Amino acid sequence: MNKHDTNPDPITGAPGSHPLGVAAGGTAGAIAGAAIGSLFGPIGTLIGGGIGAVGGASGGKAIAERVDPTAEVEYWREDVVSRDYYKPDRDFDRDYAPAYRLGTEYRNEAGRRDWGDTETELKARWDQTRGQSTLDWEQAQPAVRDAWERTDRTYAAYEDTDRYFGEQYSETVYYRDDFDYDDYRPAYRYGTQARSLSAGAQWDADTESRLEQGWERAKGNSRLSWQEAKEAVKDAWHRVERRLPGDADGDGR
């Protein structure tokens, strides 16, 4: 499988990702009370309009955001080998990439729906969009579903983060009233994504250094410097950590 020289992830250096901070809005209330179980697994990145264009999650408004299909295909380029449906004699770009792209794009368009309500339409769309893929629907379906579910998890994770912190960010000890939630949101999303991609990691000096290096690219239009954003990033990181399986006492360890 070939690697592409795409825009690297600011957290992991993996190809094909876009700065977390370019996303804006956040659909506060869209999944009020959603299970934090949506965070149990790596999540992707939302891209969309400029931060501050509307009230954002704290105002219960949202602007168009989507999970980037190109970035998701690059994620699956690395992860596909771990899937039991993967056949090494298949060509990734020809056979699997169209399936991952379809699952991502469909979830972007269709919004929150049960998988069972989407499969018939996805099967019909596969026949229209498969291109040169040699996979029939039965062979493509697991990859399409993987992409659909990861995209759904991404939306759920960021919506949950936006809702939770949008309601309380101004009460934190690190809040400064010369900034608003549009400044803090990228930091919370950055911490959420970073911890979801860092299985078993701890918040330590090495973690701080790595995240500091990525902040300028991840911050989008946030006015926060790394020193101003760090505690918000850390807050979101530990929130994910406290809710991971096996953390019965909620201490993040």
mmCIF file with all atom_site columns, all heavy atoms in Angstrom, residues 231-243:
data_model
loop_
_atom_site.group_PDB
_atom_site.id
_atom_site.type_symbol
_atom_site.label_atom_id
_atom_site.label_alt_id
_atom_site.label_comp_id
_atom_site.label_asym_id
_atom_site.label_entity_id
_atom_site.label_seq_id
_atom_site.pdbx_PDB_ins_code
_atom_site.Cartn_x
_atom_site.Cartn_y
_atom_site.Cartn_z
_atom_site.occupancy
_atom_site.B_iso_or_equiv
_atom_site.pdbx_formal_charge
_atom_site.auth_seq_id
_atom_site.auth_comp_id
_atom_site.auth_asym_id
_atom_site.auth_atom_id
_atom_site.pdbx_PDB_model_num
ATOM 1   N N   . GLU A 1 231 ? -4.615  24.213 29.416 1.00 0.00 ? 231 GLU A N   1
ATOM 2   C CA  . GLU A 1 231 ? -5.458  23.647 30.463 1.00 0.00 ? 231 GLU A CA  1
ATOM 3   C C   . GLU A 1 231 ? -6.794  23.166 29.914 1.00 0.00 ? 231 GLU A C   1
ATOM 4   O O   . GLU A 1 231 ? -7.362  22.184 30.417 1.00 0.00 ? 231 GLU A O   1
ATOM 5   C CB  . GLU A 1 231 ? -5.668  24.662 31.589 1.00 0.00 ? 231 GLU A CB  1
ATOM 6   C CG  . GLU A 1 231 ? -4.416  24.956 32.387 1.00 0.00 ? 231 GLU A CG  1
ATOM 7   C CD  . GLU A 1 231 ? -3.789  23.691 32.972 1.00 0.00 ? 231 GLU A CD  1
ATOM 8   O OE1 . GLU A 1 231 ? -4.536  22.858 33.533 1.00 0.00 ? 231 GLU A OE1 1
ATOM 9   O OE2 . GLU A 1 231 ? -2.556  23.530 32.865 1.00 0.00 ? 231 GLU A OE2 1
ATOM 10  N N   . ALA A 1 232 ? -7.309  23.824 28.889 1.00 0.00 ? 232 ALA A N   1
ATOM 11  C CA  . ALA A 1 232 ? -8.554  23.365 28.263 1.00 0.00 ? 232 ALA A CA  1
ATOM 12  C C   . ALA A 1 232 ? -8.319  22.058 27.513 1.00 0.00 ? 232 ALA A C   1
ATOM 13  O O   . ALA A 1 232 ? -9.144  21.136 27.558 1.00 0.00 ? 232 ALA A O   1
ATOM 14  C CB  . ALA A 1 232 ? -9.098  24.428 27.315 1.00 0.00 ? 232 ALA A CB  1
ATOM 15  N N   . VAL A 1 233 ? -7.193  21.964 26.807 1.00 0.00 ? 233 VAL A N   1
ATOM 16  C CA  . VAL A 1 233 ? -6.839  20.715 26.120 1.00 0.00 ? 233 VAL A CA  1
ATOM 17  C C   . VAL A 1 233 ? -6.718  19.592 27.142 1.00 0.00 ? 233 VAL A C   1
ATOM 18  O O   . VAL A 1 233 ? -7.259  18.485 26.951 1.00 0.00 ? 233 VAL A O   1
ATOM 19  C CB  . VAL A 1 233 ? -5.515  20.879 25.338 1.00 0.00 ? 233 VAL A CB  1
ATOM 20  C CG1 . VAL A 1 233 ? -5.092  19.540 24.725 1.00 0.00 ? 233 VAL A CG1 1
ATOM 21  C CG2 . VAL A 1 233 ? -5.669  21.937 24.246 1.00 0.00 ? 233 VAL A CG2 1
ATOM 22  N N   . LYS A 1 234 ? -6.044  19.875 28.225 1.00 0.00 ? 234 LYS A N   1
ATOM 23  C CA  . LYS A 1 234 ? -5.840  18.878 29.284 1.00 0.00 ? 234 LYS A CA  1
ATOM 24  C C   . LYS A 1 234 ? -7.167  18.470 29.909 1.00 0.00 ? 234 LYS A C   1
ATOM 25  O O   . LYS A 1 234 ? -7.396  17.291 30.221 1.00 0.00 ? 234 LYS A O   1
ATOM 26  C CB  . LYS A 1 234 ? -4.901  19.457 30.345 1.00 0.00 ? 234 LYS A CB  1
ATOM 27  C CG  . LYS A 1 234 ? -4.533  18.499 31.458 1.00 0.00 ? 234 LYS A CG  1
ATOM 28  C CD  . LYS A 1 234 ? -3.552  19.182 32.404 1.00 0.00 ? 234 LYS A CD  1
ATOM 29  C CE  . LYS A 1 234 ? -3.134  18.253 33.546 1.00 0.00 ? 234 LYS A CE  1
ATOM 30  N NZ  . LYS A 1 234 ? -2.176  18.944 34.463 1.00 0.00 ? 234 LYS A NZ  1
ATOM 31  N N   . ASP A 1 235 ? -8.054  19.425 30.097 1.00 0.00 ? 235 ASP A N   1
ATOM 32  C CA  . ASP A 1 235 ? -9.369  19.157 30.667 1.00 0.00 ? 235 ASP A CA  1
ATOM 33  C C   . ASP A 1 235 ? -10.124 18.155 29.794 1.00 0.00 ? 235 ASP A C   1
ATOM 34  O O   . ASP A 1 235 ? -10.710 17.171 30.293 1.00 0.00 ? 235 ASP A O   1
ATOM 35  C CB  . ASP A 1 235 ? -10.138 20.481 30.761 1.00 0.00 ? 235 ASP A CB  1
ATOM 36  C CG  . ASP A 1 235 ? -11.196 20.472 31.854 1.00 0.00 ? 235 ASP A CG  1
ATOM 37  O OD1 . ASP A 1 235 ? -11.374 19.429 32.517 1.00 0.00 ? 235 ASP A OD1 1
ATOM 38  O OD2 . ASP A 1 235 ? -11.849 21.517 32.037 1.00 0.00 ? 235 ASP A OD2 1
ATOM 39  N N   . ALA A 1 236 ? -10.130 18.390 28.490 1.00 0.00 ? 236 ALA A N   1
ATOM 40  C CA  . ALA A 1 236 ? -10.825 17.487 27.578 1.00 0.00 ? 236 ALA A CA  1
ATOM 41  C C   . ALA A 1 236 ? -10.147 16.122 27.522 1.00 0.00 ? 236 ALA A C   1
ATOM 42  O O   . ALA A 1 236 ? -10.808 15.075 27.466 1.00 0.00 ? 236 ALA A O   1
ATOM 43  C CB  . ALA A 1 236 ? -10.895 18.101 26.183 1.00 0.00 ? 236 ALA A CB  1
ATOM 44  N N   . TRP A 1 237 ? -8.827  16.122 27.511 1.00 0.00 ? 237 TRP A N   1
ATOM 45  C CA  . TRP A 1 237 ? -8.055  14.864 27.518 1.00 0.00 ? 237 TRP A CA  1
ATOM 46  C C   . TRP A 1 237 ? -8.476  13.986 28.699 1.00 0.00 ? 237 TRP A C   1
ATOM 47  O O   . TRP A 1 237 ? -8.791  12.809 28.544 1.00 0.00 ? 237 TRP A O   1
ATOM 48  C CB  . TRP A 1 237 ? -6.563  15.204 27.587 1.00 0.00 ? 237 TRP A CB  1
ATOM 49  C CG  . TRP A 1 237 ? -5.629  14.059 27.848 1.00 0.00 ? 237 TRP A CG  1
ATOM 50  C CD1 . TRP A 1 237 ? -5.443  13.402 29.032 1.00 0.00 ? 237 TRP A CD1 1
ATOM 51  C CD2 . TRP A 1 237 ? -4.725  13.452 26.922 1.00 0.00 ? 237 TRP A CD2 1
ATOM 52  N NE1 . TRP A 1 237 ? -4.476  12.437 28.908 1.00 0.00 ? 237 TRP A NE1 1
ATOM 53  C CE2 . TRP A 1 237 ? -4.019  12.446 27.616 1.00 0.00 ? 237 TRP A CE2 1
ATOM 54  C CE3 . TRP A 1 237 ? -4.427  13.680 25.578 1.00 0.00 ? 237 TRP A CE3 1
ATOM 55  C CZ2 . TRP A 1 237 ? -3.054  11.653 27.021 1.00 0.00 ? 237 TRP A CZ2 1
ATOM 56  C CZ3 . TRP A 1 237 ? -3.453  12.890 24.977 1.00 0.00 ? 237 TRP A CZ3 1
ATOM 57  C CH2 . TRP A 1 237 ? -2.773  11.903 25.676 1.00 0.00 ? 237 TRP A CH2 1
ATOM 58  N N   . HIS A 1 238 ? -8.496  14.572 29.892 1.00 0.00 ? 238 HIS A N   1
ATOM 59  C CA  . HIS A 1 238 ? -8.824  13.797 31.083 1.00 0.00 ? 238 HIS A CA  1
ATOM 60  C C   . HIS A 1 238 ? -10.299 13.416 31.125 1.00 0.00 ? 238 HIS A C   1
ATOM 61  O O   . HIS A 1 238 ? -10.654 12.376 31.712 1.00 0.00 ? 238 HIS A O   1
ATOM 62  C CB  . HIS A 1 238 ? -8.439  14.572 32.341 1.00 0.00 ? 238 HIS A CB  1
ATOM 63  C CG  . HIS A 1 238 ? -6.975  14.580 32.614 1.00 0.00 ? 238 HIS A CG  1
ATOM 64  N ND1 . HIS A 1 238 ? -6.185  13.450 32.529 1.00 0.00 ? 238 HIS A ND1 1
ATOM 65  C CD2 . HIS A 1 238 ? -6.125  15.592 32.969 1.00 0.00 ? 238 HIS A CD2 1
ATOM 66  C CE1 . HIS A 1 238 ? -4.930  13.742 32.812 1.00 0.00 ? 238 HIS A CE1 1
ATOM 67  N NE2 . HIS A 1 238 ? -4.869  15.042 33.080 1.00 0.00 ? 238 HIS A NE2 1
ATOM 68  N N   . ARG A 1 239 ? -11.157 14.217 30.526 1.00 0.00 ? 239 ARG A N   1
ATOM 69  C CA  . ARG A 1 239 ? -12.578 13.834 30.488 1.00 0.00 ? 239 ARG A CA  1
ATOM 70  C C   . ARG A 1 239 ? -12.757 12.542 29.697 1.00 0.00 ? 239 ARG A C   1
ATOM 71  O O   . ARG A 1 239 ? -13.508 11.650 30.098 1.00 0.00 ? 239 ARG A O   1
ATOM 72  C CB  . ARG A 1 239 ? -13.421 14.942 29.874 1.00 0.00 ? 239 ARG A CB  1
ATOM 73  C CG  . ARG A 1 239 ? -14.906 14.557 29.815 1.00 0.00 ? 239 ARG A CG  1
ATOM 74  C CD  . ARG A 1 239 ? -15.786 15.714 29.406 1.00 0.00 ? 239 ARG A CD  1
ATOM 75  N NE  . ARG A 1 239 ? -17.179 15.303 29.456 1.00 0.00 ? 239 ARG A NE  1
ATOM 76  C CZ  . ARG A 1 239 ? -17.928 15.044 28.390 1.00 0.00 ? 239 ARG A CZ  1
ATOM 77  N NH1 . ARG A 1 239 ? -17.411 15.152 27.173 1.00 0.00 ? 239 ARG A NH1 1
ATOM 78  N NH2 . ARG A 1 239 ? -19.176 14.660 28.513 1.00 0.00 ? 239 ARG A NH2 1
ATOM 79  N N   . VAL A 1 240 ? -12.079 12.437 28.551 1.00 0.00 ? 240 VAL A N   1
ATOM 80  C CA  . VAL A 1 240 ? -12.126 11.186 27.791 1.00 0.00 ? 240 VAL A CA  1
ATOM 81  C C   . VAL A 1 240 ? -11.541 10.059 28.631 1.00 0.00 ? 240 VAL A C   1
ATOM 82  O O   . VAL A 1 240 ? -12.122 8.969  28.743 1.00 0.00 ? 240 VAL A O   1
ATOM 83  C CB  . VAL A 1 240 ? -11.351 11.322 26.465 1.00 0.00 ? 240 VAL A CB  1
ATOM 84  C CG1 . VAL A 1 240 ? -11.285 9.977  25.747 1.00 0.00 ? 240 VAL A CG1 1
ATOM 85  C CG2 . VAL A 1 240 ? -12.002 12.366 25.559 1.00 0.00 ? 240 VAL A CG2 1
ATOM 86  N N   . GLU A 1 241 ? -10.409 10.314 29.240 1.00 0.00 ? 241 GLU A N   1
ATOM 87  C CA  . GLU A 1 241 ? -9.698  9.293  30.003 1.00 0.00 ? 241 GLU A CA  1
ATOM 88  C C   . GLU A 1 241 ? -10.541 8.750  31.145 1.00 0.00 ? 241 GLU A C   1
ATOM 89  O O   . GLU A 1 241 ? -10.576 7.539  31.406 1.00 0.00 ? 241 GLU A O   1
ATOM 90  C CB  . GLU A 1 241 ? -8.401  9.903  30.542 1.00 0.00 ? 241 GLU A CB  1
ATOM 91  C CG  . GLU A 1 241 ? -7.340  8.909  30.923 1.00 0.00 ? 241 GLU A CG  1
ATOM 92  C CD  . GLU A 1 241 ? -6.010  9.617  31.110 1.00 0.00 ? 241 GLU A CD  1
ATOM 93  O OE1 . GLU A 1 241 ? -5.972  10.614 31.863 1.00 0.00 ? 241 GLU A OE1 1
ATOM 94  O OE2 . GLU A 1 241 ? -5.034  9.183  30.508 1.00 0.00 ? 241 GLU A OE2 1
ATOM 95  N N   . ARG A 1 242 ? -11.233 9.628  31.845 1.00 0.00 ? 242 ARG A N   1
ATOM 96  C CA  . ARG A 1 242 ? -12.047 9.206  32.986 1.00 0.00 ? 242 ARG A CA  1
ATOM 97  C C   . ARG A 1 242 ? -13.185 8.282  32.573 1.00 0.00 ? 242 ARG A C   1
ATOM 98  O O   . ARG A 1 242 ? -13.691 7.514  33.384 1.00 0.00 ? 242 ARG A O   1
ATOM 99  C CB  . ARG A 1 242 ? -12.627 10.430 33.708 1.00 0.00 ? 242 ARG A CB  1
ATOM 100 C CG  . ARG A 1 242 ? -11.621 11.205 34.522 1.00 0.00 ? 242 ARG A CG  1
ATOM 101 C CD  . ARG A 1 242 ? -12.310 12.209 35.435 1.00 0.00 ? 242 ARG A CD  1
ATOM 102 N NE  . ARG A 1 242 ? -13.086 13.196 34.705 1.00 0.00 ? 242 ARG A NE  1
ATOM 103 C CZ  . ARG A 1 242 ? -12.609 14.354 34.268 1.00 0.00 ? 242 ARG A CZ  1
ATOM 104 N NH1 . ARG A 1 242 ? -11.332 14.666 34.464 1.00 0.00 ? 242 ARG A NH1 1
ATOM 105 N NH2 . ARG A 1 242 ? -13.378 15.204 33.639 1.00 0.00 ? 242 ARG A NH2 1
ATOM 106 N N   . ARG A 1 243 ? -13.586 8.368  31.306 1.00 0.00 ? 243 ARG A N   1
ATOM 107 C CA  . ARG A 1 243 ? -14.745 7.608  30.860 1.00 0.00 ? 243 ARG A CA  1
ATOM 108 C C   . ARG A 1 243 ? -14.381 6.410  29.997 1.00 0.00 ? 243 ARG A C   1
ATOM 109 O O   . ARG A 1 243 ? -15.260 5.761  29.441 1.00 0.00 ? 243 ARG A O   1
ATOM 110 C CB  . ARG A 1 243 ? -15.697 8.537  30.122 1.00 0.00 ? 243 ARG A CB  1
ATOM 111 C CG  . ARG A 1 243 ? -16.219 9.628  31.037 1.00 0.00 ? 243 ARG A CG  1
ATOM 112 C CD  . ARG A 1 243 ? -17.187 10.542 30.355 1.00 0.00 ? 243 ARG A CD  1
ATOM 113 N NE  . ARG A 1 243 ? -17.731 11.480 31.321 1.00 0.00 ? 243 ARG A NE  1
ATOM 114 C CZ  . ARG A 1 243 ? -18.962 11.969 31.271 1.00 0.00 ? 243 ARG A CZ  1
ATOM 115 N NH1 . ARG A 1 243 ? -19.772 11.607 30.306 1.00 0.00 ? 243 ARG A NH1 1
ATOM 116 N NH2 . ARG A 1 243 ? -19.382 12.817 32.183 1.00 0.00 ? 243 ARG A NH2 1
#
